[in-house]
Amino acid sequence: MKVRAEVRNTSREVWRPEDGWAVSYHVIDPETGTLVSEGSRAPLARALQPGESVEAEVAVEFPPEPGRYRAYVSAMQEHVVWLYDR
């Protein structure tokens, strides 16, 4: 499933793709809160100054096993932060 999201930089720092800023997703089991899978990264199309936004498209893949899942699409910085978690 393809998901389009608007990513807005509400921080005071510039988000640069070369610094690991991207959009990705986590698939969670909502009953246990367990992380089921993590998606590939879609680097930001360009650096985002504070207050700027950019549209991103992410291909979300759910596990083949039947069940209830929740996907969190989020801006993230590799090895630093997933913004949905804040």
Side-chain angles (χ1 to χ4, degrees), residues 61-83:
E61 295 183 30
F62 288 95
E65 299 82 22
R68 294 178 55 131
Y69 300 102
R70 183 169 290 145
Y72 292 92
V73 177
S74 177
M76 49 82 66
Q77 186 179 24
E78 196 69 45
H79 305 296
V80 178
V81 67
W82 284 79
L83 294 181

Side-chain angles (χ1 to χ4, degrees), residues 47-58:
L48 283 183
Q49 298 293 325
E52 289 186 329
S53 62
V54 68
E55 192 171 280
E57 187 172 277
V58 179

Side-chain angles (χ1 to χ4, degrees), residues 21-48:
W21 283 100
V23 179
S24 188
Y25 66 91
H26 280 160
V27 173
I28 306 286
D29 175 333
E31 291 182 21
T32 65
T34 302
L35 176 65
V36 176
S37 65
E38 185 172 290
S40 59
R41 278 47 167 168
L44 294 180
R46 60 178 174 80
L48 283 183

